[in-house]
């Protein structure tokens, strides 16, 4: 479920501002995006990572959380060892005898799900509030924007820590924490864009037609505010994944039964000092690649979707 | 100006008050205070006595005012684990965190400024691109991951630096410091570098942007035309002018450096406030958690207030705009 919403949103965003023109906006968007080889490469890697995560249970040689498949005798094997079950542990095993490669695939799944899921919920919450602030103005605007200011004046880790200290750990609580941390970015961005857009003629026209307010806001105003939001959404997915990994590493994030990459890294931490680097190192590389690749795609999206940079 | 100051002060007080409500509700409404505050070994009579003594049988708003009153007197409860006042525990750990954060700030300046200068003066050179690409990594990589890699390379593989702990300290002004002993310095390097990573990237970007803007200014062109040496132009005319935003932002970032030290301290087992709060969360030592959050939030509000006031002193537009609104 991870990549499709973002991708679908990207396409509709590219379509939205250019529907007036006759050329196909999607093709132009793809052509613009493909100008950077690095971004295309990053996108391909991201798709591969997402597929690996989605089909983890098919690809992984072992279900790392089915105790019947684990052999404690295979614990802490270095990469390349052939285990008792007959297949090679290409990335070694952890202290419980889990195949690290399988563990990473299942961990990726949790990391991506939590990251993309919470970034998307934050997107919906933040965008709705930002649009309300811009369209209604006055007290609504002051109240919402003061909240945004307050939220942004505290660092993300502190807010997340506070929430998890009260709610305890668990996937849902991590999602709540990330949404609380991230919504303000969307709200601030969409308000800025929407304030400009709402003075345009098409909004005036819609108001003259006496369309309902929700319809004007969500059918007319929102689609024209989407491009900068898409960029933020991409970047925030990467930030959400990093934040979730950090919280899980600190032992405040996901439970042991559903380990994300961050928790895998934390599990291997104590063995790293004794030279068994692979238990932490490979999940770390998976995390690194995921975050960097999403950022590279986001960077190119920003260039493509920014009207000021358009040739 | 006075009106602005008073208004801003009132806003800050309001935020502090709001935070106490949130923290109070966090502890007393979401968690079960009886379970949190009374030992599970206590029998029924003891429990009831303790509930009455702690005032847990009274209505919530009354409890809130008791909590607020105690907090105002500096009483933020006693730690269950150490059986000491929570505030005292945190204040004891504060110097270690402050030292780490200061060291990180120093790193950010001495590494970020020259790198940013290089990248800004020759924006198209390959090394400038490498610097900028690295700074993007500094922004996007999780701190804990980089910390692990530092330990793996410099402590485990190369064995140059100690992996965790604070090492020996020496006393100065009644407080223990690491940087006064050579061995203590060795312990300080990796955590400080890890914590400063984000700030280094920030300083690089700020400096680069500043340099690129400033070298096009007329006074820089004039200084060059006058025949001043390139070094003098760069270090006196350019650098002096970009220092203001760089210093402001670095100072502003100090608060979030302290907040992010939670992560660094956990990795490097640095005995500061951040490690204390994580340990306290594990054992559900709620008075310490509440006290830490109160102190940090209070610190942030003071920091934001100071910055806002300073800005309005330096830039009259901010002040005037606020008066109109």
């Amino acid at each position: 479920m991870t990549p499709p919403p973002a991708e679908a949103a990207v396409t509709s965003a590219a379509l939205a501002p250019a529907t007036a023109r006759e050329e196909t906006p999607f093709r132009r968007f793809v052509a613009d995006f493909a100008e950077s080889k690095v971004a295309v490469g990053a996108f391909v890697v991201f798709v591969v990572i997402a597929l690996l995560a989605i089909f983890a249970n098919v690809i992984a040689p072992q279900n790392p959380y089915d105790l019947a498949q684990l052999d404690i005798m295979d614990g802490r094997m270095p990469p390349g060892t052939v285990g008792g079950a007959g297949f090679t542990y290409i990335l070694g095993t952890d202290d419980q005898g889990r195949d690290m490669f399988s563990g990473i695939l299942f961990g990726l799944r949790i990391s991506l799900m939590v990251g993309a899921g919470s970034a998307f919920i934050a997107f919906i919450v933040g965008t709705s509030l930002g649009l309300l602030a811009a369209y209604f103005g006055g007290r609504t605007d002051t109240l919402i924007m003061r909240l945004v200011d307050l939220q942004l004046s505290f660092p993300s880790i502190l807010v997340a820590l506070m929430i998890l200290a009260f709610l305890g750990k668990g996937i849902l609580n991590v999602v709540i924490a990330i949404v609380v941390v991230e919504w303000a970015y969307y709200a601030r961005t969409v308000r800025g864009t929407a304030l400009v857009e709402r003075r345009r003629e098409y909004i005036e026209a819609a108001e003259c037609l006496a369309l309902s307010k929700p319809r004007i806001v969500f059918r007319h105003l929102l689609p024209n505010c989407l491009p900068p939001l898409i960029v933020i959404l991409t970047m925030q997915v990467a930030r959400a994944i990093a934040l979730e990994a950090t919280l899980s590493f600190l032992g405040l994030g996901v439970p042991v039964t559903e380990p994300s990459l961050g928790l895998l890294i934390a599990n291997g931490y104590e063995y790293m000092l004794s030279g068994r680097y692979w238990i932490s190192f490979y999940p770390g590389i998976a995390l690194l690649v995921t975050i960097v690749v999403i950022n590279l795609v986001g960077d190119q999206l920003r260039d493509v979707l920014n009207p000021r940079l358009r040739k | 100006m006075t009106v602005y100051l008073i208004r801003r002060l009132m806003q800050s007080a309001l935020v502090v008050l709001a935070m106490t409500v949130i923290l109070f509700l966090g502890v007393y409404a979401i968690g079960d205070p009886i379970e949190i505050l009374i030992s599970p070994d206590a029998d029924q009579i003891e429990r009831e006595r303790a509930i009455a003594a702690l005032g847990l049988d009274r209505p919530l708003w009354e409890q809130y005012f008791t909590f607020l009153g105690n907090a105002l007197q500096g009483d933020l409860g006693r730690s269950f684990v150490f059986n000491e006042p929570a505030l005292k525990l945190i204040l004891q750990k504060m110097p270690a965190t402050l030292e780490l954060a200061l060291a990180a700030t120093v790193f950010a300046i001495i590494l970020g400024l020259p790198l940013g200068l290089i990248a800004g003066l020759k924006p198209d050179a390959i090394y400038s691109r490498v610097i900028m690409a690295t700074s993007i990594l500094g922004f996007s990589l999780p701190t804990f991951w980089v910390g692990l890699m530092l330990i793996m390379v410099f402590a485990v593989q190369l064995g140059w630096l100690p992996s965790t702990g604070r090492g020996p300290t020496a006393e100065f002004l009644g407080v223990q410091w690491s940087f006064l002993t050579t061995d203590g310095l060795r312990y300080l390097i990796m955590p400080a570098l890890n914590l400063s990573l984000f700030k280094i990237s920030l300083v690089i970007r700020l400096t680069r942007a500043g340099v690129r803007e400033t070298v096009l200014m007329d006074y820089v062109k004039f200084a060059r035309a006058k025949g001043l040496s390139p070094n003098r132009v760069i270090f006196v005319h350019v650098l002096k002018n970009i220092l203001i935003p760089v210093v402001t932002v670095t100072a502003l970032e100090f608060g979030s450096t302290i907040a992010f030290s939670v992560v660094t301290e956990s990795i490097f087992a640095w005995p500061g406030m951040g490690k204390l709060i994580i340990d306290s969360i594990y054992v559900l030592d709620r008075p310490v958690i509440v006290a830490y959050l109160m102190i940090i939030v209070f610190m942030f509000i003071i920091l934001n207030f100071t910055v806002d006031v300073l800005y309005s002193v330096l830039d009259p537009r901010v002040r005037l705009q606020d008066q109109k609104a």
Side-chain angles (χ1 to χ4, degrees):
Chain A
M1 62 156 279
T2 330
E7 279 322 294
V10 166
T11 359
S12 64
L15 287 166
T19 30
R21 276 163 244 163
E22 276 309 302
E23 55 180 320
T24 57
F26 180 66
R27 272 199 201 138
R28 203 188 61 188
F29 169 75
V30 171
D32 280 354
F33 187 85
E35 264 177 27
S36 161
K37 296 273 182 297
V38 179
V40 174
F43 182 71
V44 171
V45 175
F46 176 72
V47 171
V48 171
I49 289 176
L51 287 177
L52 281 176
I54 294 168
F55 297 108
N57 46 355
V58 186
I59 303 164
Q62 174 193 73
N63 178 354
Y65 305 105
D66 177 7
L67 290 177
Q69 290 185 32
L70 301 183
D71 186 353
I72 198 79
M73 297 302 285
D74 283 350
R76 284 169 260 160
M77 295 281 195
T81 319
V82 180
F87 62 88
T88 315
Y89 297 122
I90 48 171
L91 299 180
T93 61
D94 71 0
D95 52 335
Q96 313 270 330
R98 284 192 192 108
D99 174 36
M100 281 319 293
F101 178 63
S102 312
I104 289 172
L105 293 185
F106 279 81
L108 259 179
R109 193 186 242 187
I110 309 233
S111 287
L112 283 177
M113 238 161 63
V114 173
S118 46
F120 198 70
I121 298 172
F123 166 77
I124 292 171
V125 174
T127 306
S128 312
L129 287 173
L131 280 176
L132 285 181
Y135 190 77
F136 291 103
R139 272 172 196 275
T140 327
D141 188 27
T142 315
L143 181 71
I144 294 176
M145 291 329 282
R146 274 287 136 90
L147 264 178
V148 167
D149 286 344
L150 183 66
Q151 173 71 59
L152 292 180
S153 64
F154 293 103
S156 55
I157 188 88
L158 183 65
V159 177
L161 211 63
M162 200 186 298
I163 292 168
L164 290 174
F166 295 146
L167 298 182
K169 55 189 200 175
I171 286 192
L172 185 67
N173 294 345
V174 173
V175 172
I176 294 175
I178 298 177
V179 170
V180 172
V181 166
E182 289 192 344
W183 74 274
Y185 293 94
Y186 300 99
R188 197 176 53 175
T189 311
V190 78
R191 176 180 174 268
T193 325
L195 278 181
V196 178
E197 289 293 327
R198 70 158 300 188
R199 296 209 181 83
R200 295 272 169 90
E201 286 85 356
Y202 67 88
I203 298 289
E204 211 176 304
E207 273 166 354
C208 289
L209 286 171
L211 298 181
S212 72
K213 279 190 172 151
R215 182 154 175 194
I216 296 176
V217 172
F218 289 103
R219 297 275 303 165
H220 296 262
L221 194 54
L222 177 62
N224 289 293
C225 299
L226 270 180
L229 285 176
I230 301 299
V231 177
I232 300 215
L233 179 64
T234 330
M235 299 297 199
Q236 294 294 346
V237 169
R239 279 197 57 192
I241 291 175
L243 185 59
E244 182 275 325
T246 305
L247 293 169
S248 298
F249 177 80
L250 291 174
L252 308 172
V254 297
V256 196
T257 46
E258 289 159 296
S260 65
L261 292 176
L263 197 59
L264 289 178
I265 297 170
N267 287 342
Y269 177 52
E270 51 184 310
Y271 299 105
M272 205 181 66
L273 296 178
S274 55
R276 295 192 181 89
Y277 67 92
W278 59 89
I279 307 178
S280 260
F281 183 70
Y282 292 118
I285 293 294
L287 180 69
L288 168 81
V289 172
T290 312
I291 291 175
V292 168
V293 154
I294 297 177
N295 272 312
L296 286 173
V297 171
D299 242 19
Q300 179 66 4
L301 277 182
R302 174 165 51 205
D303 291 351
V304 172
L305 293 176
N306 189 344
R308 267 177 292 172
L309 294 176
R310 238 180 226 159
K311 285 155 273 176
Chain B
M1 187 64 207
T2 328
V3 178
Y4 174 76
L5 262 181
I6 292 171
R7 248 174 82 165
R8 195 61 193 72
L9 205 63
M10 273 167 63
Q11 270 175 20
S12 299
L14 214 67
V15 175
V16 174
L17 211 63
M19 290 319 280
T20 60
V21 174
I22 292 173
L23 286 174
F24 175 80
L25 287 180
V27 180
Y28 291 83
I30 297 176
D32 181 3
I34 299 169
E35 200 179 300
I36 296 164
L37 296 171
I38 299 168
S39 145
D41 313 326
D43 60 38
Q44 193 59 36
I45 301 161
E46 256 181 83
R47 271 175 74 96
E48 263 155 30
R49 195 185 304 137
I51 287 173
L54 290 164
L56 294 175
D57 48 351
R58 270 171 280 163
L60 202 63
W61 61 268
E62 216 180 300
Q63 289 184 46
Y64 170 69
F65 283 112
T66 321
F67 167 80
L68 195 64
N70 287 342
L72 279 177
Q73 290 161 26
D75 176 9
L76 292 168
R78 291 178 84 83
S79 157
F80 309 143
V81 180
F82 302 98
N83 198 26
E84 274 189 72
L87 193 63
K88 188 179 148 205
L89 266 176
I90 291 166
L91 291 180
Q92 275 171 355
K93 302 274 184 182
M94 207 182 238
T97 300
L98 286 181
E99 179 173 28
L100 189 61
L102 279 173
T105 309
V106 171
F107 264 123
I109 299 277
I110 59 173
L111 288 176
L113 215 51
L115 288 174
L117 203 61
I118 293 170
L121 289 173
K122 292 262 166 61
D124 294 320
I126 294 181
Y127 50 80
S128 302
R129 285 169 190 230
V130 171
I131 291 172
M132 293 322 285
T134 322
S135 82
I136 294 177
L137 287 185
F139 274 126
S140 52
L141 290 185
T143 317
F144 80 92
W145 189 87
V146 182
L148 284 182
M149 290 301 112
L150 284 176
I151 291 181
M152 210 175 98
V153 173
F154 294 106
V156 181
Q157 302 291 331
L158 297 172
W160 290 353
L161 294 166
S163 58
T164 51
R166 194 180 177 190
T169 51
E171 198 178 287
F172 178 64
L173 295 176
V175 183
Q176 299 291 327
W177 301 99
S178 291
F179 74 97
L180 293 173
T181 63
T182 28
D183 212 29
L185 264 181
R186 279 164 35 90
Y187 278 90
L188 183 61
I189 290 177
M190 270 206 296
L193 188 67
N194 183 223
L195 188 56
S196 69
L197 220 68
F198 182 85
K199 284 155 75 88
I200 295 176
S201 309
L202 193 68
V203 173
I204 289 179
R205 305 218 130 207
L206 278 172
T207 314
R208 175 177 178 267
V211 169
R212 293 194 64 182
E213 220 171 89
T214 322
V215 287
L216 300 174
M217 295 283 185
D218 286 343
Y219 68 86
V220 175
K221 283 182 192 155
F222 179 67
R224 280 219 190 95
K226 255 193 333 188
L228 296 180
S229 75
N231 279 340
R232 200 181 149 78
V233 175
I234 291 170
F235 287 105
V236 177
H237 293 83
V238 174
L239 200 61
K240 225 176 168 181
N241 281 285
I242 57 169
L243 269 183
I244 301 161
V246 171
V247 169
T248 323
V249 172
T250 318
L252 255 174
E253 276 287 302
F254 193 70
S256 65
T257 310
I258 288 183
F260 271 97
S261 72
V262 168
V263 181
T264 302
E265 285 176 15
S266 303
I267 303 166
F268 292 94
W270 187 266
M273 312 194 279
K275 189 161 164 29
L276 178 70
I277 172 86
I278 295 292
D279 292 344
S280 303
I281 292 178
Y282 282 148
V283 295
L284 286 179
D285 196 350
R286 301 244 180 169
V288 179
I289 302 173
V290 172
Y292 172 85
L293 292 175
M294 288 284 276
I295 289 175
I296 289 273
V297 164
F298 197 62
M299 197 186 75
F300 261 95
I301 288 165
I302 291 179
L303 212 68
N304 288 338
F305 175 74
T306 320
V307 170
D308 276 3
V309 170
L310 276 180
Y311 270 169
S312 78
V313 171
L314 296 175
D315 188 348
R317 279 173 304 179
V318 178
R319 185 165 71 230
L320 294 174
Q321 201 180 26
D322 200 77
Q323 269 168 5
K324 257 188 283 171

